[in-house]
């Protein structure tokens, strides 16, 4: 559900009820466009204010976010003004997608002053702006200058102005008469008319409102009895109570969240939640972090893909060299035949026909020669081509060994980037690529050279019988998991494709249910997750070996068995949900 004005009105009431009078204990900025405030109000509450273009929202969240080592300047400024302050008001502006949170703060002289933090939920124009009592902008999470917008600038020191307000009915001006006056001139469908007339109502919401009052959303407005319809609309909008739900698909994957059960969706698939924030958490569980990491890793993914293309092109060149090895031997034979028949080569001839005594049937063969070279020079020319091709062939064979290793390393890195959840996970992938010459050390790597790198944590799952199963997110974690596992613990990996190392943390023989669950995890965290029949190899850890000098994550194993696994949508939904915990 988009955070439109109608949904935001429910969130405003929830935040007002829960956080009013609360004290700001901590201020963090985990992302460049998101702020997290720890509010003490009858308990600790984590208030997330996001100005992300795709997921702008306000909510109380139970999710934890990784904070940068050095807080951004905006975060430092928010700490200066908001730490220790109390929330004295939370209001929505004119029913639109603007939330104003008012704080009672102490200035440098110890006097009480008010600061207002405005969250504007407006797609790519979303913003977070801190404003003083006199309307001066203290700072904004996203600066907007005159080149970026001719309508409205948002810069420190300027005067805060609300975004241009559309000429629509607000909660204060909404009435059956006003609705009728706005709708009667329109000829469009009722749902579209509501979007044009009522502030903060998105398409999904307008269609649901129509369903709630028993009118088809596609019915043209002139065909309606507006007196009856407008009264129903007014009654619904002013009396509807929050009853938050999360919408799930048949496999159990969260698809959306609503402030109340939506009749436009199957009611059986809507799970009741205690608060709208809880419903949003259920929907965003892991999704927000994955999207953030995908954005952060986009540049690295592009670099790895480019390296893959170059390496594959190099491989094709080497293979072409080997395919031409037949001609290599032919050059040596031509050199020998010319040397044995120098007396037959006439001056100025462009070819000579001689008997090929290397062939059991001794056929005649025509050998091309250069008229500008002597007979001996022509023979030496073929020997030179032979030696050059022989060296190239040997070089190609040597290079192919390294190329295959590089391709495997790059494919693993590309697969690992999809599993990133934290900056530490990404730093480990970057480290492996740097160690193998695919990246130059970045500033942080040069700064921390010689220091022990922070280790990322693998996924942890609990099997049906309670057994712990660990899954590596990248090559370094795969190495640590495998090399530190006990000899009789069970090790799993997708057969012949990039994927995670999976360890069942028990030296006893795992139950069939645990082994099956581990196989599903090995399938999901591999390149073959969408294959209907993916082969998963499993063996005891003691049969897994790592060759000296081999790249991180690359091992050999013996004494293994193979299971054929296909994931159902329910399996995927369960794994995604468990991984997000």
């Amino acid at each position: 559900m988009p955070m439109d004005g109608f949904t935001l009105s429910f969130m405003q009431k929830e935040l007002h009820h829960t956080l009013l009078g609360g004290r700001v204990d901590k201020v963090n900025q985990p992302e460049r466009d998101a702020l997290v405030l720890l509010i003490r109000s009858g308990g600790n509450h984590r208030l997330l204010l996001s100005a992300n273009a795709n997921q702008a929202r306000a909510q109380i969240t139970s999710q934890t976010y990784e904070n940068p080592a050095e807080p951004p300047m905006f975060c430092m400024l928010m700490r200066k003004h908001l730490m220790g302050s109390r929330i004295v008001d939370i209001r929505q502006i004119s029913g639109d997608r603007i939330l104003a949170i008012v704080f009672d703060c102490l200035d440098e002289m110890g006097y009480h002053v008010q600061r207002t933090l405005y969250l504007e939920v407006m797609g790519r124009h979303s913003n977070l702006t801190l404003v003083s009592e006199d309307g001066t902008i203290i700072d904004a999470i996203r600066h907007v200058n005159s080149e970026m917008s001719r309508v409205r600038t948002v810069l420190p020191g300027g005067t805060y102005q609300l975004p241009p307000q559309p000429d629509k009915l607000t909660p204060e001006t909404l009435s059956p008469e006003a609705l009728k006056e706005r709708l009667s001139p329109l000829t469009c469908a009722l749902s579209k008319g509501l979007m044009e007339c009522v502030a903060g109502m998105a398409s999904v919401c307008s269609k649901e409102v129509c369903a709630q009052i028993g009118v088809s959303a596609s019915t043209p407005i002139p065909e309606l009895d507006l007196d009856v319809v407008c009264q129903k609309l007014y009654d619904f909008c002013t009396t509807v109570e929050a009853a938050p739900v999360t919408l799930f698909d048949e496999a159990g994957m969260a698809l959306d969240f609503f402030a109340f059960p939506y009749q436009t969706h199957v009611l059986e698939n809507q799970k009741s939640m205690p608060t709208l924030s809880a419903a949003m958490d259920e929907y965003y569980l892991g999704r927000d972090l994955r999207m953030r990491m995908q954005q952060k890793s986009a540049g690295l993914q592009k670099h790895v893909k480019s390296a893959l293309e170059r390496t594959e092109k190099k491989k094709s060149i080497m293979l072409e060299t080997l395919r031409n090895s037949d001609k290599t031997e032919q050059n040596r034979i031509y050199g020998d035949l010319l040397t044995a028949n120098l007396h037959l080569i006439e001056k100025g001839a462009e070819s000579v026909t001689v008997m090929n005594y290397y062939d059991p049937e001794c056929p005649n063969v025509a050998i091309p020669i250069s008229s500008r070279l002597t007979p001996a020079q022509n023979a030496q020319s073929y020997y030179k081509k032979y030696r050059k091709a022989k060296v190239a062939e040997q070089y190609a064979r040597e290079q192919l060994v390294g190329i295959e290793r590089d391709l495997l390393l790059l494919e693993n890195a590309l697969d690992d980037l999809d599993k990133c959840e934290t900056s530490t996970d990404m730093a480990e992938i970057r480290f492996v690529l740097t160690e193998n010459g695919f990246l130059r050390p970045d500033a942080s790597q040069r700064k921390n050279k010689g220091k022990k790198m922070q280790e990322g944590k693998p996924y942890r799952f609990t099997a049906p019988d309670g057994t712990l199963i660990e899954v590596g997110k990248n090559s370094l974690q795969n190495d640590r998991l495998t090399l530190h596992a006990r000899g009789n613990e069970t090790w799993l990996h997708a057969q012949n494709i990039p994927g995670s190392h999976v360890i069942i943390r028990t030296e006893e023989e795992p139950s069939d249910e645990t082994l099956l669950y581990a196989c599903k995890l090995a399938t999901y965290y591999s390149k073959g997750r969408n294959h209907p029949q993916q082969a998963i190899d499993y063996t005891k850890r003691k049969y897994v070996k790592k060759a000296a000098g081999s790249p991180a994550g690359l091992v050999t194993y013996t004494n293994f068995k193979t299971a054929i696994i296909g994931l159902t949508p329910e399996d995927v939904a369960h794994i995604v949900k468990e991984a997000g915990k």
Side-chain angles (χ1 to χ4, degrees):
M1 179 68 195
M3 183 63 80
D4 61 359
F6 196 65
T7 306
L8 187 60
S9 67
F10 290 94
M11 180 54 69
Q12 179 269 331
K13 294 172 186 174
E14 181 178 306
L15 297 180
H16 191 276
H17 176 266
T18 307
L19 302 180
L20 195 67
R23 182 178 184 273
V24 179
D25 275 358
K26 289 183 181 179
V27 179
N28 291 311
Q29 188 181 348
E31 302 292 341
R32 62 181 180 84
D33 52 13
L35 207 61
V36 176
L37 309 180
L38 183 65
I39 313 293
R40 186 183 296 276
S41 176
N44 289 329
H45 305 280
R46 195 179 290 116
L47 174 61
L48 170 66
L49 301 170
S50 173
N52 181 271
N54 298 315
Q55 300 184 128
R57 66 192 189 276
Q59 68 165 112
I60 297 171
T61 181
S62 60
Q63 288 197 36
T64 56
Y65 291 84
E66 182 185 18
N67 295 311
E70 296 183 6
M73 290 299 297
F74 182 77
C75 179
M76 296 297 288
L77 191 64
M78 294 303 102
R79 288 177 179 176
K80 174 185 174 182
H81 287 276
L82 302 183
M83 287 285 285
S85 65
R86 291 195 177 275
I87 297 176
V88 295
D89 193 16
I90 301 177
R91 62 179 182 268
Q92 184 182 13
I93 306 298
S94 300
D96 205 354
R97 297 164 294 167
I98 306 171
L99 192 70
I101 306 175
V102 184
F103 300 86
D104 180 51
C105 316
L106 293 177
D107 64 9
E108 292 85 348
M109 303 298 294
Y111 294 109
H112 284 271
V113 294
Q114 285 194 347
R115 300 283 183 257
T116 304
L117 188 59
Y118 289 94
L119 171 64
E120 300 166 13
V121 182
M122 297 183 174
R124 63 189 181 91
H125 300 296
S126 299
N127 211 342
L128 260 175
T129 310
L130 186 67
V131 179
S132 64
E133 280 182 298
D134 62 2
T136 302
I137 297 173
I138 297 173
D139 204 357
I141 206 164
R142 182 178 288 115
H143 291 178
V144 181
N145 57 37
S146 56
E147 294 181 357
M148 300 165 67
S149 173
R150 292 177 294 176
V151 178
R152 172 175 173 259
T153 59
V154 183
L155 295 170
T159 301
Y160 180 76
Q161 296 177 331
L162 290 170
Q165 299 296 300
D167 182 22
K168 295 183 179 182
L169 295 174
T170 67
E172 295 79 18
T173 60
L174 186 67
S175 68
E177 295 75 22
L179 270 172
K180 182 180 178 181
E181 182 182 347
R182 294 294 187 103
L183 290 173
S184 55
L186 303 178
T187 59
C188 58
L190 179 58
S191 62
K192 187 175 181 181
L194 287 176
M195 292 172 59
E196 294 183 9
C197 297
V198 182
M201 192 166 288
S203 173
V204 176
C205 182
S206 65
K207 291 176 181 176
E208 176 58 28
V209 170
C210 293
Q212 291 283 346
I213 65 171
V215 179
S216 172
S218 59
T219 304
I221 292 174
E223 298 179 10
L224 297 169
D225 183 345
L226 286 182
D227 288 324
V228 175
V229 169
C230 290
Q231 185 63 51
K232 287 183 177 180
L233 287 170
Y234 175 77
D235 291 342
F236 175 76
C237 291
T238 55
T239 60
V240 61
E241 295 289 337
V245 295
T246 303
L247 176 68
F248 293 89
D249 63 13
E250 299 299 332
M253 184 78 75
L255 297 178
D256 213 335
F257 61 90
F258 306 124
F260 51 87
Y262 267 36
Q263 294 183 11
T264 49
H265 293 277
V266 179
L267 293 176
E268 288 75 13
N269 292 344
Q270 299 178 50
K271 178 184 176 183
S272 179
M273 304 298 291
T275 63
L276 183 55
S277 289
M280 293 170 69
D281 260 357
E282 191 76 21
Y283 172 72
Y284 285 112
L285 183 64
R287 193 186 307 258
D288 194 17
L289 294 177
R290 285 193 296 274
M291 190 203 74
R292 298 278 188 180
M293 291 310 301
Q294 286 171 0
Q295 291 174 343
K296 288 182 178 180
S297 66
L300 193 55
Q301 280 186 334
K302 185 177 180 181
H303 186 92
V304 173
K305 288 178 180 177
S306 296
L308 260 174
E309 289 176 3
R310 290 195 302 271
T311 308
E312 287 172 347
K313 185 176 181 181
K314 185 177 179 182
K315 178 181 178 180
S316 65
I317 293 172
M318 296 300 126
L319 290 175
E320 183 65 25
T321 299
L322 293 181
R323 280 193 291 269
N324 293 331
S325 61
D326 290 344
K327 296 181 181 178
T328 302
E329 192 62 24
Q330 186 186 63
N331 287 330
R332 183 188 66 80
I333 292 173
Y334 279 4
D336 286 350
L337 294 178
L338 288 178
T339 301
N341 295 280
L342 293 177
H343 61 286
L344 296 179
I345 302 175
E346 297 179 359
K347 187 176 181 180
E350 294 186 350
S351 68
V352 60
T353 302
V354 298
M355 180 185 297
N356 183 7
Y357 48 77
Y358 284 97
D359 191 317
E361 297 181 3
C362 296
N364 288 332
V365 58
I367 303 176
I369 58 176
S370 173
S371 58
R372 293 177 294 177
L373 300 177
T374 65
Q377 288 174 333
N378 271 300
Q380 289 303 315
S381 175
Y382 276 108
Y383 283 135
K384 185 176 181 180
K385 290 178 183 177
Y386 166 73
R387 288 192 297 270
K388 184 177 180 180
K390 224 21 177 171
V391 170
E393 182 183 338
Q394 180 62 28
Y395 176 78
R397 293 188 187 281
E398 293 172 355
Q399 286 294 303
L400 278 173
V401 176
I403 288 172
E404 292 294 348
R405 165 188 165 279
D406 288 347
L407 283 174
L408 188 56
L409 188 148
L410 289 168
E411 287 173 351
N412 279 331
L414 201 58
D415 184 61
D416 292 343
L417 284 171
D418 290 335
K419 307 169 196 168
C420 274
E421 288 192 330
T422 66
S423 298
T424 303
D425 295 337
M426 191 181 300
E428 289 181 326
I429 298 172
R430 185 178 287 276
F431 175 80
V432 171
L433 292 171
T434 303
E435 285 289 292
N436 288 275
F438 292 105
L439 284 178
R440 293 180 180 178
D442 60 14
S444 62
Q445 287 174 317
R446 290 192 294 269
K447 181 180 178 181
N448 298 321
K449 188 175 182 180
K451 296 182 181 179
K452 186 177 180 180
M453 188 174 64
Q454 185 177 355
E455 295 182 356
K457 296 180 180 178
Y459 292 113
R460 287 182 169 87
F461 296 88
T462 303
D465 63 359
T467 304
L468 175 64
I469 301 175
E470 293 189 317
V471 181
K473 296 178 188 171
N474 55 56
S475 298
L476 286 181
Q477 292 184 25
N478 287 339
D479 262 8
R480 287 197 295 269
L481 269 182
T482 299
L483 299 180
H484 296 164
R486 290 169 291 183
N488 284 321
E489 290 181 334
T490 304
W491 177 92
L492 304 93
H493 193 280
Q495 190 180 87
N496 298 328
I497 58 172
S500 296
H501 293 199
V502 178
I503 298 288
I504 301 176
R505 290 297 191 184
T506 176
E507 291 200 86
E508 298 178 2
E509 199 65 33
S511 65
D512 291 344
E513 292 80 6
T514 297
L515 184 60
L516 177 60
Y517 187 45
C519 285
K520 288 180 178 180
L521 292 173
T523 301
Y524 182 78
Y525 290 107
S526 77
K527 199 174 180 180
R529 69 172 62 175
N530 296 321
H531 198 285
Q533 291 184 322
Q534 176 58 48
I536 301 296
D537 293 336
Y538 61 96
T539 185
K540 295 298 181 183
R541 157 62 187 92
K542 60 187 176 184
Y543 299 123
V544 182
K545 308 296 180 185
K546 183 174 179 63
S550 62
L554 299 186
V555 296
T556 58
Y557 51 92
T558 55
N559 294 10
F560 61 91
K561 296 179 181 179
T562 302
I564 305 300
I565 300 295
L567 296 179
T568 65
E570 290 78 8
D571 292 330
V572 173
H574 176 74
I575 292 172
V576 170
K577 186 173 182 179
E578 291 300 307
K581 290 183 178 179

